[in-house]
Amino acid sequence: MPAVSKGDGMRGLAVFISDIRNCKSKEAEIKRINKELANIRSKFKGDKALDGYSKKKYVCKLLFIFLLGHDIDFGHMEAVNLLSSNKYTEKQIGYLFISVLVNSNSDLIRLINNAIKNDLSSRNPTFMNLALHCIANVGSREMAEAFASEIPRILVAGDTMDSVKQSAALCLLRLNRTSPDLVPMGEWTARVVHLLNDQHLGVVTAATSLITTLAQKSPDDFKTSISLAVARLSRIVTSACIDLQDYTYYFVAAPWLSVKLLRLLQCYPPPEDAALRSRLTECLETILNKAQEPPKSKKVQHSNAKNAVLFEAISLIIHHDSEPTLLVRACNQLGQFLQHRETNLRYLALESMCTLASSEFSHEAVKTHMETVINALKTERDVSVRQRAVDLLYAMCDRSNSKQIVAEMLSYLETADYSIREEIVLKVAILAEKYAVDYTCEEVWYRVIQIVINRDDVQGYAAKTVFEALQAPACHENLVKVGGYILGEFGNLIAGDSRSSPLVQFNLLHSKFHLCSVPTRALLLSAYIKFINLFPEVKGTIQDVLRSDSQLRNADVELQQRAVEYLRLSCIASTDILATVLEEMPPFPERESSILAKLKKKKGSMNVPDIDDSRKNMNGNGNGNVEHNNNEPSEITTKSPASVVAALIPTNRPRPTSASPIMLSAGIMTASHPFTDLLNLNSPPATGGGSLLVDVFADFSSQTPADVCEENFSRFVCKNNGVLYENQLLQIGLKSEYRQNLGRMYVFYGNKTSTQFISFTSSSLTSFPQLTVHAKPVEPVIEGGAQMQQIFNIECVTDFTEAPVLNIQFKYGGALQNIAVKLPVMLNKFFQPTEMNSQEFFQRWKQLGAPQQEVQKIFKSQHPMDSDVTKAKIIGFGVALLEGVDPNPANFVGAGVIHTKTTQVGCLLRLEPNTQAQMYRLTLRTSRESVSQRLCDLLSDQF
């Protein structure tokens, strides 16, 4: 680049910039800019022609004004004129202005392209570089059309200087990204590969970036780059720092080029040539060995460069997935980073190990770090690192550790961040579906049936597999369902073997008949009629079974009806009719696992999801009856099976902690009646004094309000989950979450009876403006044994003392029920814990020393004085428990900030127990007197 002479220093520009910096206000700056714009406009429109220096100076001023955020609508033509100058500084400013201010759709593009074409053909390396930089910066389609064929020629020309080759390679890379269809693939592609052997490492670096992008689009055209990339990488890895002195960064030889070469090699499978493969393996082993060496510098730049090459090498090892030794070494190396003090390294290690876990060679090595990953899940402060830990636990899960991993995920779910809870539940559901053996849910075998029906290539294998599995003395009932369904459809595929002849298949299925529940027996009867269609030779045997008194006179109506209808169908129908009625099931519409669908559907659903909803997709009709074939599992027509996903703590409906069967069966209990009796005509009459005549037009709001129940209110001061209210009809549980001044409460209404609750309403009443509570509407009917959820969104406007009241009204047995419960929304729920050391705590304690800021209370202990329980209660209260702050180790010290919409209130507390006298002294200091008194009252009642 030519040197800039003293005469090129633009004094007028320096003065203008100085004036702008000295402006005291925005108005003064705008005034100075407008004055300068008027001056520049007059100069450009004046009669006197401007010389190159003046044009450059004024164009620079316009560029500076634009960078300050002001619009520029003139001067573009003057900048284009600067491109024709033979002075470097004038041409440079012209190109800079165009790169920044000229739109790709500008009318000046044609003039600019002509100037660029002249500079590219000038063979002046400085002018060529300026032109190539401008093309890359603008990157418009017009420029790509004009120069896409010219730039490759410059790149591979033998007389092109190294600096121009670098610019040409990067410019072509930019055009390929913006307009890939305009970059031609020709003979130059073979020649550009040889730039990897160039002596100038800058050219090699730029060429590697270009080849990597082109190889992703046309890998066959750049296969020859593999050997050259390995050779170049080998020279870099084995070289000393002094060998590549100009390209050594903090004692790491050419780290950027090494990373780019490793990425290029990831575009292809492992080399087939043994010598080349061995050389690449040596390079990767050398990189792993260097990672174990003591650092040559304590600077962070050294470790960053070294680790960048290491992680890219590990990515290549994972991509090839062919060298067990390298994979295990990579896993061990990543394991060392799992406890590194640098958060970014822990994140990258977890992310890379997720991929390693999918390799058969390194899966066992990854599993050895399970305890470390679980510990990271519990202790990491960064939520993104915890999310990667969840991903890794999911990836390393197999039959040997599935129980432990699922248990850890469920345990962590209680305290997990809102942003990853949905993903955790999704992963837990998938793992449970994949590895559950003894307790396979209905969802799983539905999904198995769908896959087998839809894939012709697995039907024979599935029939053989279930036939062999059914021969076990004890079989899970869901296995019998799958076996009956698959053998009824595809038993003919294995009937050619005498060991699985039609009669053997039938006898095997029928041997399980008496051990199964009614729905499974109904399915097996459907399989038997299918057998008559598939295997006429067993028709007599099956008809004898259908004729037996145990079937025709069965106490269950469903079994009796099926036996009668199937028997008559087999007797009077011709072979053609049987084949038509009992033809093979058509493929199901492709859909994802019903577990995945349910979890994704949670965002738009307030109520516990019903299995019937997902079944409609499988069956194609709304009432659950099968239109495809009589061989559909009978549960679909008789009842809704339990949903494992709903019982696995759905993310949008966290369940309260309770030992009650009602609260622990969220989503499992379903309606036995398909239609809701809005007038409750089918319900039994009310006992006691309830009237048999129901006034369906009665106004609930006019009813006498119930007494507010506060029995369990104080239990929720230091916890967020539990049973709030319970009587012989209804159980109310809740789980709440708070973040700063906002909260969300999930309230669960459990119907403990076998009768519907109708006209169900629930609302929160707050008569004070300090707290805002918005309740989402609920369904008017709760079926017997079912549970319903309601969400309350809460906002703390300012500090408050009263709690909102939850009013519930419904009809049961013709009688109106009215319940009022105080919702446990207290001021301490809006705490954010604050960590402090001893010096900071007592300094702040002294600042809050005003009499009105302190509240102290001495009270008798109501419970055994256990230090662990006390700690748990203080943490549950919402403050940070500060260890080692108080000089007396028996005292408890905490700090936090109450967040409201209008302000924030800092709070310090000190609890001094006297075990001999069974007394406590509680001292609270806050910046607001009312807050101190309220918090003291709430916390003192807990001990």
Side-chain angles (χ1 to χ4, degrees):
M1 183 180 291
V4 179
S5 63
K6 287 185 178 181
D8 288 327
M10 292 171 282
R11 184 173 177 275
L13 175 64
V15 171
F16 174 62
I17 294 174
S18 178
D19 291 346
I20 294 296
R21 288 177 175 172
N22 293 331
C23 289
K24 302 298 184 183
S25 64
K26 187 69 176 177
E27 292 74 16
E29 177 184 313
I30 293 174
K31 184 178 180 181
R32 178 67 181 90
I33 287 174
N34 289 337
K35 179 182 177 182
E36 191 64 38
L37 287 174
N39 177 56
I40 296 173
R41 188 178 275 108
S42 65
K43 294 293 184 182
F44 285 168
K45 291 183 178 180
D47 298 333
K48 185 179 178 182
L50 296 176
D51 58 6
Y53 170 81
S54 299
K55 284 183 182 179
K56 177 184 69 172
K57 179 177 66 175
Y58 293 135
V59 167
C60 261
K61 288 182 178 181
L62 291 175
L63 184 58
F64 179 72
I65 293 171
F66 175 79
L67 295 177
L68 289 176
H70 301 272
D71 292 333
I72 299 298
D73 57 0
F74 69 97
H76 299 75
M77 193 64 202
E78 283 70 18
V80 173
N81 291 336
L82 286 175
L83 300 184
S84 59
S85 172
N86 287 324
K87 285 191 175 182
Y88 168 76
T89 53
E90 295 175 7
K91 191 182 288 288
Q92 180 195 35
I93 296 300
Y95 276 123
L96 182 60
F97 185 94
I98 289 166
S99 299
V100 175
L101 273 90
V102 173
N103 188 283
S104 60
N105 299 321
S106 172
D107 297 334
L108 299 174
I109 286 292
R110 186 169 296 177
L111 293 175
I112 296 170
N113 286 350
N114 289 334
I116 291 175
K117 193 170 292 186
N118 293 333
D119 285 336
L120 290 179
S121 59
S122 67
R123 311 309 295 172
N124 183 322
T126 304
F127 292 172
M128 293 176 73
N129 275 328
L130 288 174
L132 291 168
H133 292 171
C134 180
I135 297 171
N137 285 329
V138 176
S140 66
R141 191 167 183 86
E142 291 77 8
M143 285 190 174
E145 291 174 348
F147 304 110
S149 57
E150 175 70 13
I151 296 173
R153 185 187 58 79
I154 296 173
L155 176 61
V156 298
D159 57 345
T160 303
M161 293 187 65
D162 292 337
S163 61
V164 179
K165 285 183 179 179
Q166 279 182 266
S167 300
L170 296 176
C171 181
L172 196 58
L173 175 61
R174 163 72 169 163
L175 294 182
N176 184 72
R177 288 173 176 170
T178 57
S179 305
D181 55 311
L182 297 179
V183 178
M185 291 290 181
E187 59 179 23
W188 65 273
T189 56
R191 299 177 62 185
V192 77
V193 170
H194 292 284
L195 291 178
L196 295 176
N197 273 335
D198 199 279
Q199 297 298 317
H200 194 280
L201 286 190
V203 174
V204 179
T205 304
T208 305
S209 298
L210 175 63
I211 294 169
T212 301
T213 301
L214 295 176
Q216 292 171 352
K217 185 168 69 172
S218 305
D220 292 338
D221 294 338
F222 297 92
K223 264 189 174 181
T224 54
S225 64
I226 298 176
S227 58
L228 298 177
V230 171
R232 174 63 76 174
L233 180 65
S234 177
R235 292 201 294 272
I236 294 173
V237 168
T238 57
S239 65
C241 298
I242 55 174
D243 297 336
L244 303 170
Q245 193 165 5
D246 292 340
Y247 288 88
T248 297
Y249 181 78
Y250 286 87
F251 304 101
V252 180
W256 284 274
L257 178 55
S258 300
V259 167
K260 290 178 184 293
L261 290 170
L262 290 165
R263 286 185 181 171
L264 172 58
L265 291 171
Q266 290 177 50
C267 297
Y268 296 96
E272 297 178 359
D273 182 69
L276 187 61
R277 190 167 182 167
S278 174
R279 190 173 186 184
L280 177 58
T281 302
E282 288 179 14
C283 292
L284 296 173
E285 288 178 343
T286 304
I287 294 173
L288 293 175
N289 291 336
K290 285 186 175 182
Q292 300 289 345
E293 296 176 358
K296 297 179 181 178
S297 171
K298 294 183 179 180
K299 298 278 188 179
V300 67
Q301 293 91 337
H302 170 73
S303 60
N304 285 347
K306 188 176 178 181
N307 291 330
V309 178
L310 173 63
F311 275 101
E312 207 59 52
I314 291 174
S315 296
L316 179 59
I317 293 171
I318 295 172
H319 171 74
H320 284 173
D321 194 20
S322 59
E323 295 291 338
T325 305
L326 287 178
L327 285 164
V328 173
R329 284 196 61 186
C331 180
N332 294 335
Q333 182 65 51
L334 292 172
Q336 297 177 17
F337 288 130
L338 291 179
Q339 296 177 309
H340 198 279
R341 59 184 178 86
E342 182 64 39
T343 304
N344 290 336
L345 285 179
R346 296 198 300 273
Y347 178 92
L348 292 171
L350 289 168
E351 189 175 47
S352 298
M353 288 185 80
C354 285
T355 315
L356 272 175
S358 62
S359 172
E360 60 177 321
F361 301 117
S362 55
H363 183 78
E364 293 299 322
V366 172
K367 284 167 57 179
T368 61
H369 301 283
M370 185 172 68
E371 294 300 329
T372 306
V373 179
I374 292 173
N375 185 58
L377 183 66
K378 297 177 179 178
T379 60
E380 273 290 347
R381 293 186 176 183
D382 193 312
V383 63
S384 61
V385 180
R386 294 198 296 273
Q387 186 163 7
R388 294 286 81 79
V390 171
D391 294 340
L392 180 52
L393 286 175
Y394 175 74
M396 70 168 63
C397 187
D398 58 20
R399 292 196 181 278
S400 65
N401 57 16
S402 57
K403 288 185 178 179
Q404 182 180 358
I405 288 178
V406 169
E408 292 291 347
M409 285 187 174
L410 287 174
S411 174
Y412 173 65
L413 186 61
E414 298 179 5
T415 56
D417 296 77
Y418 307 143
S419 58
I420 63 175
R421 283 188 178 184
E422 179 179 4
E423 185 176 347
I424 294 174
V425 173
L426 178 63
K427 285 179 164 55
V428 167
I430 294 172
L431 292 177
E433 179 182 27
K434 186 174 182 180
Y435 295 113
V437 178
D438 297 328
Y439 303 98
T440 308
C441 69
E442 306 287 343
E443 304 279 351
V444 177
W445 80 268
Y446 291 161
R447 180 64 174 158
V448 170
I449 294 300
Q450 179 194 337
I451 293 172
V452 174
I453 292 291
N454 288 12
R455 293 190 56 181
D456 296 340
D457 56 327
V458 302
Q459 290 165 359
Y461 171 79
K464 180 181 178 183
T465 302
V466 296
F467 176 79
E468 293 173 351
L470 285 171
Q471 294 178 19
C475 296
H476 194 283
E477 187 164 342
N478 281 345
L479 175 59
V480 179
K481 294 177 184 177
V482 174
Y485 201 104
I486 291 179
L487 292 179
E489 293 289 336
F490 311 113
N492 59 309
L493 300 178
I494 60 172
D497 190 336
S498 59
R499 293 171 296 180
S500 56
S501 64
L503 187 58
V504 173
Q505 292 184 41
F506 170 74
N507 289 333
L508 180 61
L509 281 178
H510 196 54
S511 67
K512 314 293 182 184
F513 188 88
H514 66 287
L515 301 172
C516 299
S517 62
V518 170
T520 306
R521 292 183 185 184
L523 185 146
L524 289 178
L525 290 178
S526 298
Y528 297 167
I529 190 66
K530 283 274 190 172
F531 270 37
I532 292 178
N533 178 46
L534 292 177
F535 315 116
E537 61 269 29
V538 298
K539 179 177 179 179
T541 305
I542 294 175
Q543 285 179 335
D544 291 340
V545 171
L546 295 176
R547 278 195 199 96
S548 64
D549 288 347
S550 61
Q551 304 303 334
L552 294 181
R553 298 183 181 181
N554 198 296
D556 187 86
V557 176
E558 175 68 25
L559 293 181
Q560 185 185 102
Q561 183 177 356
R562 289 199 183 203
V564 171
E565 292 180 354
Y566 290 164
L567 179 60
R568 292 298 297 161
L569 179 65
S570 66
C571 292
I572 65 175
S574 64
T575 306
D576 294 338
I577 294 177
L578 270 180
T580 303
V581 174
L582 303 173
E583 65 180 349
E584 187 177 302
M585 281 280 287
F588 288 100
E590 283 298 331
R591 66 183 184 92
E592 63 188 344
S593 166
S594 53
I595 287 182
L596 302 182
K598 275 194 176 182
L599 289 168
K600 291 177 181 177
K601 193 177 69 174
K602 62 167 277 299
K603 293 183 179 178
S605 172
M606 290 193 309
N607 299 327
V608 177
D610 190 350
I611 189 66
D612 289 337
D613 295 337
S614 59
R615 204 170 297 146
K616 289 174 188 175
N617 296 330
M618 182 184 290
N619 302 335
N621 56 7
N623 61 7
N625 293 327
V626 181
E627 292 182 357
H628 292 309
N629 194 281
N630 288 337
N631 200 31
E632 180 67 10
S634 62
E635 290 87 327
I636 294 180
T637 61
T638 57
K639 66 176 183 177
S640 299
S643 168
V644 165
V645 182
L648 266 175
I649 314 176
T651 53
N652 71 331
R653 42 183 74 82
R655 294 201 305 275
T657 303
S658 170
S660 167
I662 295 293
M663 299 309 294
L664 289 177
S665 59
I668 293 181
M669 302 181 186
T670 55
S672 59
H673 303 291
F675 302 103
T676 301
D677 183 12
L678 294 178
L679 296 181
N680 206 31
L681 299 178
N682 295 328
S683 299
T687 57
S691 172
L692 294 179
L693 298 176
V694 180
D695 182 6
V696 295
F697 302 104
D699 183 5
F700 280 9
S701 61
S702 65
Q703 302 294 333
T704 304
D707 294 333
V708 177
C709 177
E710 301 182 25
E711 180 182 354
N712 295 327
F713 181 81
S714 62
R715 298 181 184 177
F716 287 85
V717 172
C718 296
K719 68 175 185 176
N720 292 330
N721 312 335
V723 177
L724 180 63
Y725 174 86
E726 186 169 11
N727 62 14
Q728 69 275 18
L729 303 179
L730 177 70
Q731 185 186 60
I732 304 175
L734 63 82
K735 182 165 186 176
S736 51
E737 305 166 334
Y738 294 89
R739 181 67 59 87
Q740 295 185 351
N741 69 309
L742 301 176
R744 174 171 288 182
M745 182 176 289
Y746 303 87
V747 180
F748 300 86
Y749 307 102
N751 184 346
K752 297 174 64 176
T753 73
S754 58
T755 306
Q756 289 178 334
F757 292 165
I758 66 169
S759 303
F760 189 94
T761 62
S762 170
S763 61
S764 171
L765 299 180
T766 54
S767 57
F768 46 93
Q770 296 94 333
L771 193 69
T772 304
V773 180
H774 295 288
K776 294 190 176 181
V778 294
E779 294 294 330
V781 177
I782 303 181
E783 299 289 348
Q787 186 184 72
M788 181 169 61
Q789 172 192 281
Q790 186 177 25
I791 299 177
F792 292 87
N793 292 317
I794 306 164
E795 181 180 23
C796 179
V797 180
T798 185
D799 61 281
F800 61 96
T801 56
E802 294 297 324
V805 175
L806 177 64
N807 281 339
I808 302 162
Q809 292 178 330
F810 59 93
K811 286 184 179 179
Y812 168 75
L816 176 64
Q817 305 293 325
N818 195 353
I819 299 171
V821 183
K822 183 175 282 190
L823 284 177
V825 182
M826 305 88 162
L827 186 59
N828 65 293
K829 298 298 182 183
F830 302 95
F831 256 127
Q832 286 292 110
T834 304
E835 296 290 341
M836 293 183 178
N837 56 33
S838 179
Q839 181 181 355
E840 292 171 339
F841 178 85
F842 286 106
Q843 181 180 357
R844 180 62 176 158
W845 185 267
K846 292 177 182 178
Q847 292 173 355
L848 298 173
Q852 66 274 16
Q853 293 177 328
E854 179 180 290
V855 173
Q856 190 174 94
K857 186 175 183 179
I858 300 174
F859 54 93
K860 187 77 174 176
S861 173
Q862 304 298 320
H863 307 283
M865 300 179 70
D866 186 294
S867 61
D868 292 335
V869 174
T870 303
K871 288 180 181 179
K873 288 184 177 180
I874 292 176
I875 294 173
F877 192 65
V879 297
L881 183 64
L882 307 180
E883 304 277 2
V885 169
D886 197 291
N888 185 350
N891 294 344
F892 301 93
V893 175
V897 177
I898 296 284
H899 285 260
T900 71
K901 184 178 181 181
T902 56
T903 186
Q904 296 181 6
V905 182
C907 172
L908 303 178
L909 70 83
R910 190 179 190 186
L911 182 66
E912 302 167 86
N914 186 337
T915 54
Q916 293 181 347
Q918 292 292 296
M919 302 282 287
Y920 285 102
R921 180 167 67 182
L922 174 63
T923 308
L924 279 108
R925 291 188 179 183
T926 73
S927 54
R928 186 171 295 185
E929 181 181 4
S930 59
V931 174
S932 302
Q933 186 61 55
R934 180 57 179 159
L935 293 178
C936 184
D937 294 341
L938 287 170
L939 188 56
S940 61
D941 290 341
Q942 302 301 306
F943 299 102

